[in-house]
Amino acid sequence: MQIQISSKDLLRGINAVARVILNKNSLPVLANVFFSQNGQRFTLTASDGDNELTTDISLVVLEGSFMPFCIDPELLQGTLATLGDQPLTLTVTDTGNGLVNVNVRYLNGQFNVTGFTGTEYPRINVSGIEIAHFTASAPRLLTMMAAAAQCTANDELRPVMASVLLDVCASDPASPMPEEVVVVGSDGHVLYKNVLSRGEELVFNKTDGQARLLVNRNLVSKFANAFKGAGQIEVIALGREQEKEVVIHNIRFLAPGVDFITRAVEGRYPNYNSVIPQQHKYDALFNVKTLMQSMHRVSQFASVSNQMLALKREGFETLLYAEDIDFSRSSKESIDCVDCNLPDKYAVGMKSSTILQHLGNISTENVRMLFSEPARAIVLKDDDVASPLTLLLMPMSLNP
């Protein structure tokens, strides 16, 4: 079999799907990308056994009929990156025992590699009843999932807390019909919550299903790149009913030319709304850019071990303070408040990397910070009453 493909298109496709491949695989063939044909479409697939990412690729069959085959992406990426955009001719020969020889010719050279036949490549079997099905704005949903993933726990022993939650639910608990998708990420100390509501950015293809979909945090960055440029993304949850309870097995993300299938994380996600304080004694409004710049400067003098910043109110002044006792260094800076009702002598500690990460998710010019007691959670919101974004972080204990 002989096929022709653009080096630029091939490199783009390999880079998009190869992120799913693990460094160590249970089967040698899973270290490869899989070239296949689906009707009139040609596709490129990568898998780790539990997750599978497929993207369309444009090629022309010059000789013979198309024969599915697999090839190690690392053998191609370095070479393709230096070739620019030029046509490649791939000659694939079955050498027996499940192996193929792939000869790749370009304008002024060629190379040969050994791969596997397509029959050796395991595919994920997607089956079960449709539990939930919705179509959302791809940029909005993927941006929310990426932000939520930053707040999850990096802990293999707690897979539920190491996952991004897509809560397909009703805004009214009494309603059986889903009306919004709540995107949540938390490690128990910080929390990200944002909402996509039914409308232009969210359409429910299945109108009677409510479900909680859990996606492993490490997968979000791996598959998001493949959906770059997509306008809409379709999400389908598949599973079965077990002892009067719905169990989700697979989650499928679809866009034109892209298909990602992942095994859903099993487990019960905590009630995230119960940890968000509903009442606040104090609030302060800061300019996001100014606050982040001040925090960047002051945090350089914070202790390396705890990265703690203190926010203090002294008279009519609001201060940021950081200190590293071990190296005898400290920093204090006064910051401007657009609006503030913090009482005199109020002080609260925050982890600098966490608060800066949260501030990066604020979409308005100003951020509203809500406080209660110094030991209670701090809440950050956009300076827009219509925004559903909620960010939470637990304070750190200040030295007396």
Side-chain angles (χ1 to χ4, degrees), residues 10 71 75-77 79-80 83 88-91 101-106 109-113:
L10 180 56
I71 192 170
L75 296 174
L76 297 177
Q77 286 171 307
T79 304
L80 294 176
L83 287 180
L88 303 176
T89 302
L90 280 67
T91 303
N101 176 264
V102 183
N103 173 262
V104 183
R105 289 181 176 271
Y106 48 97
Q110 63 176 315
F111 59 89
N112 290 280
V113 294

Side-chain angles (χ1 to χ4, degrees), residues 190-211:
V190 298
L191 180 139
Y192 173 97
K193 176 190 171 186
N194 212 339
V195 181
L196 274 174
S197 297
R198 183 194 293 270
E200 292 183 3
E201 293 186 329
L202 179 66
V203 175
F204 287 97
N205 307 73
K206 179 178 171 61
T207 58
D208 61 345
Q210 298 190 38

Side-chain angles (χ1 to χ4, degrees), residues 125-364:
N125 180 26
V126 180
S127 61
I129 61 174
E130 193 174 277
I131 307 299
H133 187 176
F134 63 87
T135 301
S137 164
R140 282 273 289 155
L141 180 62
L142 293 175
T143 298
M144 288 181 182
M145 291 182 68
Q150 293 181 332
C151 295
T152 55
N154 186 14
D155 188 352
E156 295 182 358
L157 299 178
R158 296 190 298 160
V160 170
M161 301 309 295
S163 303
V164 173
L165 171 68
L166 302 180
D167 190 1
V168 183
C169 60
S171 54
D172 179 4
S175 172
M177 297 177 59
E179 296 173 357
E180 60 189 22
V181 175
V182 185
V183 183
V184 181
S186 176
D187 65 358
H189 300 282
V190 298
L191 180 139
Y192 173 97
K193 176 190 171 186
N194 212 339
V195 181
L196 274 174
S197 297
R198 183 194 293 270
E200 292 183 3
E201 293 186 329
L202 179 66
V203 175
F204 287 97
N205 307 73
K206 179 178 171 61
T207 58
D208 61 345
Q210 298 190 38
R212 287 190 162 192
L213 321 183
L214 290 173
V215 182
N216 184 275
R217 67 190 298 271
N218 295 321
L219 296 175
V220 176
S221 60
K222 289 183 178 181
F223 77 82
N225 185 58
F227 289 91
K228 188 177 181 181
Q232 300 288 321
I233 187 169
E234 197 174 344
V235 183
I236 306 171
L238 299 167
R240 71 179 192 276
E241 292 184 3
Q242 180 178 322
E243 297 179 358
K244 298 182 180 181
E245 187 176 350
V246 174
V247 179
I248 297 173
H249 296 306
N250 295 105
I251 305 170
R252 193 168 191 173
F253 296 83
L254 292 162
V258 188
D259 184 358
F260 177 67
I261 304 167
T262 179
R263 178 176 292 179
V265 176
E266 295 183 9
R268 189 180 297 275
Y269 203 85
N271 182 1
Y272 52 87
N273 285 318
S274 66
V275 301
I276 302 174
Q278 301 303 311
Q279 295 182 343
H280 312 276
K281 288 185 177 180
Y282 317 112
D283 68 278
L285 190 66
F286 300 97
N287 178 273
V288 175
K289 184 178 180 180
T290 302
L291 182 60
M292 289 184 72
Q293 288 175 342
S294 296
M295 286 186 168
H296 272 297
R297 287 191 294 268
V298 176
S299 64
Q300 301 300 314
F301 300 86
S303 170
V304 177
S305 61
N306 59 26
Q307 304 176 38
M308 186 169 67
L309 275 175
L311 178 71
K312 298 181 177 182
R313 186 73 171 174
E314 294 185 0
F316 295 101
E317 251 190 336
T318 305
L319 303 173
L320 281 177
Y321 179 76
E323 181 181 25
D324 189 340
I325 298 175
D326 295 333
F327 292 93
S328 301
R329 61 191 183 193
S330 63
S331 176
K332 181 189 289 187
E333 186 171 319
S334 175
I335 53 175
D336 293 329
C337 285
V338 179
D339 184 27
C340 180
N341 69 348
L342 291 173
D344 187 26
K345 305 300 182 183
Y346 185 89
V348 63
M350 301 171 287
K351 189 173 183 178
S352 59
S353 59
T354 301
I355 184 66
L356 287 168
Q357 174 185 301
H358 273 347
L359 289 172
N361 293 318
I362 296 297
S363 60
T364 54

